[in-house]
Amino acid sequence: MKKALIFGISGQDGAYLAKLLLEKGYQVAGTSRDAQMASLRNLDRLGIRERVTLSSVTLTDFRSVLTVLTKVAPDEIYHLAGQSSVGLSFEQPVETFMSIGVGTLNLLEAVRFLGAPVRLYNASSSDCFGDTGGEPATEATPFSPRSPYAVAKAAAHFEVANYREAYALHACSGILFNHESPLRPARFVTRKIVSAAARIAAGSGERLRLGNIEVARDWGWAPEYVEAMWAMLQRDTPEDLVIATGTTITLADFTAEAFAAAGLDWRAHVDVDPGLFRPSDIAVSRANPARAESLLGWKAAKHPADVAWAMVEHEMRQQPLREKTVS
């Protein structure tokens, strides 16, 4: 039985990945800053909470990382931890860089120090590309990060590449474009939109305030993306790959699809608030995931419009449950 260790198991991707690995017969361990106090709601929602073991780890503490690697002795490591909000990174740039850049370096160094034949996957980000002028990004596209989050992710990405080349670690990074699900936290704009659409359809009477609705993104389905993570570590030759749907739409279009799924015209319920615009942002994020399809046989089934509908349909199914709980 293979053993997998997931850093950041309580997040959206960590929970879906844990479920996938359990289905594949893995023994799954995970980490959180405080395993006793951490919210494990995502694991509970997927019905796998009792099937994983948890450890408390602080990635910025090298000894903490070394201890959990020694205790678990994993065959595969999935590094999904760190501050994950682009918007929040502008308010907390130091915390963002420490948790992502320094945390990743500690993990790589601990793996090198132990010398075990472990395979490591690192969650990189499409934000590292910055503004490509609307051109689809590939694995060869230069990085030009435009947020503290993207700067930290770019540093971690190059750390992984350096340890792979300099120390022969079996390590790779998935350059994942935006990917969503019902497990996405409320602070993310996609969840904000679908939750508002479901509440308005239920009669809340509220109005949804959004920032720049002209930005365009490639939004995929998180449960599919964790399959790509796993597939990347099954290759004997580690390689960084772009993981995306290959389809890009504007935030306005995503919003329109979400409200349509709720039976509403978004223009009657949405206001644009300039106060929600970011200090700097990527106008258009576009991807070419052809290499991942060629090497992994992986291809996204759900595209951005499908994602919006799936999220709203799930949210609306939860409405009667919430109303019953409140009453």
Side-chain angles (χ1 to χ4, degrees):
M1 180 183 291
K2 282 187 177 181
K3 288 187 288 184
L5 176 59
I6 304 173
F7 287 83
I9 195 171
S10 61
Q12 168 190 261
D13 292 2
Y16 281 122
L17 178 60
K19 184 174 184 292
L20 174 70
L21 294 175
L22 288 168
E23 290 170 350
K24 291 182 177 295
Y26 280 66
Q27 180 180 334
V28 178
T31 75
S32 180
R33 287 186 180 182
D34 187 337
Q36 293 184 336
M37 299 296 293
S39 171
L40 303 175
R41 181 174 55 185
N42 287 337
L43 300 179
D44 287 329
R45 290 174 68 179
L46 297 182
I48 59 173
R49 168 65 184 87
E50 303 304 321
R51 299 178 61 193
V52 302
T53 59
L54 295 171
S55 298
S56 298
V57 173
T58 301
L59 273 168
T60 52
D61 177 4
F62 178 75
R63 180 171 179 169
S64 175
V65 177
L66 192 62
T67 298
V68 74
L69 290 185
T70 303
K71 181 177 73 173
V72 176
D75 299 293
E76 297 175 2
I77 296 172
Y78 295 86
H79 175 31
L80 315 179
Q83 203 287 100
S84 60
S85 169
V86 175
L88 184 60
S89 77
F90 286 101
E91 300 175 21
Q92 299 179 4
V94 176
E95 153 64 15
T96 299
F97 192 87
M98 291 293 290
S99 70
I100 297 173
V102 176
T104 302
L105 186 59
N106 276 339
L107 178 54
L108 288 165
E109 185 62 8
V111 171
R112 184 183 77 86
F113 179 82
L114 290 174
V118 63
R119 298 187 176 193
L120 185 147
Y121 168 88
N122 170 60
S124 188
S125 170
S126 62
D127 279 75
C128 296
F129 291 123
D131 194 338
T132 63
E135 291 298 313
T138 70
E139 292 78 7
T141 302
F143 282 179
S144 182
R146 300 192 63 190
S147 68
Y149 169 80
V151 168
K153 280 291 186 180
H157 181 99
F158 287 122
E159 289 166 3
V160 171
N162 179 251
Y163 270 71
R164 180 174 63 232
E165 296 167 5
Y167 304 116
L169 262 61
H170 194 292
C172 59
S173 293
I175 312 172
L176 271 62
F177 278 65
N178 297 65
H179 48 290
E180 317 299 321
S181 78
L183 299 187
R184 184 57 97 186
R187 69 176 181 272
F188 285 78
V189 68
T190 51
R191 180 67 188 282
K192 177 181 177 180
I193 292 166
V194 301
S195 295
R199 290 194 303 270
I200 293 170
S204 71
E206 67 190 272
R207 296 192 65 80
L208 172 63
R209 294 166 54 246
L210 295 175
N212 184 1
I213 61 174
E214 297 308 315
V215 297
R217 298 289 184 268
D218 183 326
W219 283 287
W221 189 238
E224 294 178 355
Y225 282 43
V226 298
E227 295 174 0
M229 297 177 190
W230 174 80
M232 287 179 67
L233 280 198
Q234 308 319 302
R235 299 188 70 242
D236 290 333
T237 303
E239 182 176 333
D240 306 328
L241 294 173
V242 167
I243 305 299
T245 73
T247 301
T248 291
I249 65 173
T250 65
L251 185 63
D253 288 337
F254 185 95
T255 305
E257 294 287 350
F259 274 75
L264 301 169
D265 181 347
W266 72 284
R267 291 166 294 188
H269 305 282
V270 177
D271 298 317
V272 174
D273 182 355
L276 296 177
F277 283 41
R278 290 173 178 168
S280 63
D281 210 345
I282 301 168
V284 179
S285 180
R286 203 179 302 279
N288 178 356
R291 187 158 179 79
E293 182 178 358
S294 173
L295 295 182
L296 308 178
W298 180 90
K299 186 175 182 180
K302 280 186 170 62
H303 287 245
D306 306 316
V307 171
W309 280 73
M311 290 180 71
V312 171
E313 288 168 359
H314 180 275
E315 195 78 19
M316 292 184 73
R317 286 197 300 270
Q318 304 306 305
Q319 288 294 327
L321 298 177
R322 293 196 183 103
E323 292 171 4
K324 184 176 181 179
T325 301
V326 171
S327 63

